[in-house]
Amino acid sequence: MTIPESDEANGGDMVNAEPGPSALVRREAEPEGMDAILQVRGLEKSFHDNPVLRGVDLELEAGTINVLMGRSGSGKSTLLRLVAGLDEPDAGDIDIFGRAAVRDGEPTEEWEEISTSVGMICQSYTHWPLMNVWENLSLAPRWVLKESQASIKERAEQALREVGMEKHMYSRSTELSGGERQRVAIARALMMRPKVLLCDEITSALDPPVSAEVLGVLSRLKQDEGITCLLVTHDVSFAARAADRFIFFEDGEIVENSQAKDAISSPKTESLRTFLQALQFLSLIHISEP
């Protein structure tokens, strides 16, 4: 399935999942002894003969927060979209929970079932404006999972508690602030119980304090629910404080992939060093404004 692009390629939320034992995120256990929840090998993608991903290899461990950084157009968002199934790669393999999701650039027969464990949230929350929060949250479980109204409502209440929005069950989207809408977008993703949550610049339009609150929700989900998160963000302080790994993209390739604190304090490449210095400079300018 393909939808329009932004930056490398943009789009609305896509959240999928299947029922299981946990109230929100956890379902069946991962295969015993499996450390990597997501494996990407030799992933390639071009748009209009312009290479965006050039043989990307990546592994994510279960229950970790992984931060993607890089300049605009470096391939970050495209990687998320390929893992989420919003676009198809030109070449490469994707394994999720040790199961083949994509082989040689083509979705496997198992892809539809596997993809239900992956959710994606974009910077545009794409709420249905004429629906209240409850109606936005219940739409996918009702039509995709065919669940009962009572079951959906119980999970919606819990999902909203997870993101601190339990008082807004019947608020309309137009009555919410940007930060509140993004929290609802996270709750909507949790409604489908993903094991892997992909976040594409979900705080880019938010003020720094609100951004910190939204990213804090992801930290709690990792801690409390064991969810694996792969997110594109330029919030270095969050990466240093809460991320397990730091992945830096340049011209469609991963040029640095290491422990987050190590990458930020002692970058191995000059390109990452320059990038972090630029972010620090912009942060100082923002702080100094009246």
Side-chain angles (χ1 to χ4, degrees), residues 146-161:
K146 310 297 184 184
E147 294 188 355
S148 69
Q149 182 105 337
S151 173
I152 296 171
K153 186 172 183 180
E154 180 181 358
R155 195 158 75 256
E157 291 171 345
Q158 184 168 352
L160 290 173
R161 281 196 300 271

Side-chain angles (χ1 to χ4, degrees), residues 239-285:
R241 184 178 68 255
D244 297 289
R245 297 202 67 81
F246 184 104
I247 303 156
F248 184 66
F249 262 86
E250 187 174 46
D251 296 329
E253 298 178 320
I254 295 176
V255 297
E256 195 149 347
N257 180 357
S258 57
Q259 295 290 329
K261 292 181 180 179
D262 294 340
I264 294 170
S265 62
S266 303
K268 298 175 183 178
T269 60
E270 184 60 31
S271 56
L272 176 54
R273 190 186 313 277
T274 302
F275 181 80
L276 292 175
Q277 288 173 344
L279 290 181
Q280 183 181 28
F281 179 70
L282 291 173
S283 176
L284 290 173
I285 289 178

Side-chain angles (χ1 to χ4, degrees), residues 30 34-39 59-64 66 95-99 195-196 226-228:
E30 286 81 26
M34 187 192 71
D35 293 325
I37 198 169
L38 171 68
Q39 294 176 303
E59 289 191 4
L60 301 186
E61 293 183 6
T64 58
N66 306 269
D95 286 5
I96 302 176
F97 318 120
R99 300 172 65 188
K195 292 180 180 177
V196 177
I227 197 168
T228 302

Side-chain angles (χ1 to χ4, degrees), residues 37-115:
I37 198 169
L38 171 68
Q39 294 176 303
V40 170
R41 296 181 298 275
L43 214 58
E44 298 181 5
K45 182 66 178 179
S46 297
F47 293 105
H48 312 296
D49 297 324
N50 175 40
V52 177
L53 293 183
R54 306 170 187 265
V56 170
D57 296 328
L58 180 64
E59 289 191 4
L60 301 186
E61 293 183 6
T64 58
I65 292 180
N66 306 269
V67 165
L68 282 174
M69 285 192 184
R71 292 174 176 81
S72 178
S74 59
K76 311 179 300 297
S77 295
T78 296
L79 175 63
L80 295 191
R81 290 170 60 84
L82 296 184
V83 173
L86 297 177
D87 282 320
E88 293 182 6
D90 299 327
D93 301 336
I94 300 175
D95 286 5
I96 302 176
F97 318 120
R99 300 172 65 188
V102 174
R103 283 292 178 268
D104 298 324
E106 297 290 335
T108 66
E109 292 182 356
E110 292 187 280
W111 167 243
E112 185 173 350
E113 179 183 351
I114 296 171
S115 67

Side-chain angles (χ1 to χ4, degrees), residues 71-221:
R71 292 174 176 81
S72 178
S74 59
K76 311 179 300 297
S77 295
T78 296
L79 175 63
L80 295 191
R81 290 170 60 84
L82 296 184
V83 173
L86 297 177
D87 282 320
E88 293 182 6
D90 299 327
D93 301 336
I94 300 175
D95 286 5
I96 302 176
F97 318 120
R99 300 172 65 188
V102 174
R103 283 292 178 268
D104 298 324
E106 297 290 335
T108 66
E109 292 182 356
E110 292 187 280
W111 167 243
E112 185 173 350
E113 179 183 351
I114 296 171
S115 67
T116 62
S117 297
V118 180
M120 184 165 178
I121 307 171
C122 296
Q123 60 187 17
S124 56
Y125 354 94
T126 60
H127 295 180
W128 293 100
L130 299 181
M131 296 182 180
N132 61 30
V133 169
W134 151 247
E135 291 167 334
N136 269 279
L137 263 60
S138 65
L139 199 62
R142 181 157 51 93
W143 290 101
V144 177
L145 301 181
K146 310 297 184 184
E147 294 188 355
S148 69
Q149 182 105 337
S151 173
I152 296 171
K153 186 172 183 180
E154 180 181 358
R155 195 158 75 256
E157 291 171 345
Q158 184 168 352
L160 290 173
R161 281 196 300 271
E162 289 280 357
V163 299
M165 291 290 291
E166 61 269 27
K167 295 180 181 179
H168 294 276
M169 173 78 92
Y170 299 106
S171 298
R172 291 195 176 275
S173 179
T174 53
E175 299 171 345
L176 303 177
S177 68
E180 289 171 337
R181 292 181 191 178
Q182 199 58 281
R183 290 184 183 217
V184 171
I186 296 174
R188 183 168 58 183
L190 295 180
M191 291 294 293
M192 300 295 285
R193 303 187 186 97
K195 292 180 180 177
V196 177
L197 190 59
L198 311 173
C199 304
D200 191 7
E201 296 277 19
I202 63 173
T203 61
S204 62
L206 305 177
D207 293 335
V210 179
S211 173
E213 291 177 5
V214 171
L215 292 173
V217 170
L218 299 181
S219 296
R220 290 196 299 275
L221 289 174

